[in-house]
Amino acid sequence: MEEPGPAAAPPEGRDERSLEALSLAGGGEAAVAGRQLSEGRRATLASALELEGTVLREGRLTQFVANNLERRIRLSGAPRGETPAGSGGSSIPAIDPGALQDVVALAGQVAAQVDELLRNVHCGLQALTALSVGCIQTYRDGVESLGEAADLSIRAMYALVARCEELDRAMQPVPALAKRIRDMKGTLERLEGLCK
C-alpha cells in the first residue's frame, strides 16, 4: 500500500467535520483503495488526521487534537457556504455594557435570594434541631421514669411474694385446726343424739 503524500489544507468552504473529507484530502486515491481494508482505512485516516492536527495513540485509544481549533469552532457554527468574517484573525464581538450591567444586577438578585434561602434553611435547621433535642430529652425522661417504675414494681412484687410466703407459713396449722373442728362437731352431734 502506498504512503499518501502530503496534501494541501482543505479550502475554507469545504466541510471539515467529515472524516471521509479528511481522508480524501489527505490520501486521495490511496484513501479510496483503503476503504476495502479496515487497517488500510485506519492508516489512511490517521495519516490524513496527522495533516490536520496531532494524533496520539495509547493502545486501542486514539486521540486527535486539531490545529487552529478556534477557527474550526467558528467554521462549525457558521452556515455552510459562508465563512465567518475575519477568519484569519480573532474576531471577538464587542461586549454590550448594558448587558453586563443586567448580568451584574441579576447576579446581585441571585446572591440576595441565595442568602435569604440560606437564612431560611438555617432557621429551619435550628427549629428541627430544637425539636429533635426536645424529642430526645422526652424519650430519655420516659425511659428513666419507666426504669424507676419497673424497679418499684419489681420491689413491690418481691414484697408481695414475701408476704404471701409468710401468710402461707402462718396458715399451715389451719388444716389441722379444721380437722379438730370437724372432730369436735362430730362428737357434739353424737352427744346430741344420745341426749335425745
Side-chain angles (χ1 to χ4, degrees), residues 64-88:
F64 172 69
V65 180
N67 291 335
N68 202 356
L69 186 60
E70 184 180 342
R71 182 177 66 83
R72 290 178 183 276
I73 292 172
R74 280 200 304 272
L75 284 174
S76 68
R80 293 198 178 189
E82 291 183 19
T83 57
S87 58

Side-chain angles (χ1 to χ4, degrees), residues 9-60:
E12 292 291 327
R14 191 171 196 171
D15 184 10
E16 295 178 9
R17 291 170 287 182
S18 169
L19 288 179
E20 288 296 326
L22 290 175
S23 173
L24 289 173
E29 294 292 322
V32 175
R35 289 183 195 163
Q36 297 171 358
L37 299 172
S38 60
E39 290 295 324
R41 182 174 181 186
R42 266 191 242 122
T44 305
L45 287 175
S47 61
L49 289 175
E50 285 174 357
L51 293 174
E52 298 294 324
T54 306
V55 178
L56 302 173
R57 293 181 188 85
E58 296 176 6
R60 297 180 63 189

Side-chain angles (χ1 to χ4, degrees), residues 19-196:
L19 288 179
E20 288 296 326
L22 290 175
S23 173
L24 289 173
E29 294 292 322
V32 175
R35 289 183 195 163
Q36 297 171 358
L37 299 172
S38 60
E39 290 295 324
R41 182 174 181 186
R42 266 191 242 122
T44 305
L45 287 175
S47 61
L49 289 175
E50 285 174 357
L51 293 174
E52 298 294 324
T54 306
V55 178
L56 302 173
R57 293 181 188 85
E58 296 176 6
R60 297 180 63 189
L61 176 67
T62 302
Q63 298 176 359
F64 172 69
V65 180
N67 291 335
N68 202 356
L69 186 60
E70 184 180 342
R71 182 177 66 83
R72 290 178 183 276
I73 292 172
R74 280 200 304 272
L75 284 174
S76 68
R80 293 198 178 189
E82 291 183 19
T83 57
S87 58
S90 63
S91 60
I92 300 174
I95 298 173
D96 184 12
L100 283 179
Q101 290 175 353
D102 292 343
V103 168
V104 169
L106 289 174
Q109 290 176 2
V110 169
Q113 290 176 356
V114 167
D115 287 342
E116 184 179 355
L117 176 65
L118 289 177
R119 279 195 297 273
N120 291 338
V121 168
H122 180 68
C123 293
L125 288 176
Q126 281 185 337
L128 289 175
T129 303
L131 182 62
S132 299
V133 168
C135 291
I136 290 171
Q137 288 175 349
T138 304
Y139 180 73
R140 182 198 61 201
D141 295 343
V143 168
E144 288 178 355
S145 63
L146 178 64
E148 291 174 0
D151 190 33
L152 289 175
S153 298
I154 291 170
R155 289 180 183 176
M157 183 64 68
Y158 278 127
L160 179 62
V161 168
R163 293 295 172 87
C164 288
E165 288 177 352
E166 290 176 4
L167 182 61
D168 186 48
R169 283 195 296 269
M171 294 291 287
Q172 281 180 358
V174 170
L177 185 59
K179 186 174 182 280
R180 288 179 62 191
I181 289 173
R182 281 195 299 272
D183 292 343
M184 289 176 64
K185 187 178 178 184
T187 306
L188 285 174
E189 286 176 354
R190 283 196 300 272
L191 284 174
E192 258 182 27
L194 290 174
C195 291
K196 288 182 181 179

